[in-house]
Amino acid sequence: MNTKLTLTIEKDVIEKAKEYAARQGQSLSSLVENYFKHITFEKKEEPKKSELKPLPESFMKLKGCLKHEGEFDYKEELTKALMEKYGL
């Protein structure tokens, strides 16, 4: 059963989303519905560590190559970099 939903979204975002949906050959409503399905999909049980494949040796060689002093807040640094990149 379909139910109507009202969303408040920036006009330029809606326009770009409509263009994207058209390129994909679907409606904006189906695009939003599929996104909601994707983010609310319940994953199966996480694999046990013993079931995970080991990382490649080339990747393991990178361990310790980045150095930083004191506490490092990844989210804060990412936010700063994105703000600088997009002039916010």
Side-chain angles (χ1 to χ4, degrees):
M1 176 177 84
N2 289 338
T3 304
K4 190 171 183 173
L5 171 67
T6 302
L7 300 172
T8 304
I9 302 173
E10 292 179 20
K11 187 176 182 177
D12 62 323
V13 173
I14 294 171
E15 290 170 3
K16 289 178 184 178
K18 283 182 180 180
E19 291 170 4
Y20 175 82
R23 287 193 308 271
Q24 301 303 312
Q26 59 183 334
S27 68
L28 188 55
S29 291
S30 67
L31 185 71
V32 171
E33 181 179 358
N34 288 334
Y35 176 71
F36 285 169
K37 284 179 181 178
H38 176 75
I39 64 171
T40 60
F41 178 76
E42 292 186 28
K43 294 181 182 179
K44 293 181 181 179
E45 202 176 293
E46 291 291 322
K48 296 177 183 173
K49 283 191 176 186
S50 61
E51 296 172 349
L52 296 175
K53 293 180 181 179
L55 295 172
E57 183 62 31
S58 58
F59 184 80
M60 295 304 292
K61 289 179 182 178
L62 297 173
K63 183 178 178 181
C65 69
L66 297 176
K67 305 289 183 203
H68 63 87
E69 296 179 16
E71 293 294 318
F72 181 78
D73 185 348
Y74 169 78
K75 289 183 180 180
E76 182 181 326
E77 294 301 319
L78 178 60
T79 301
K80 286 179 189 176
L82 291 173
M83 289 176 71
E84 183 178 313
K85 179 177 181 178
Y86 294 106
L88 300 174

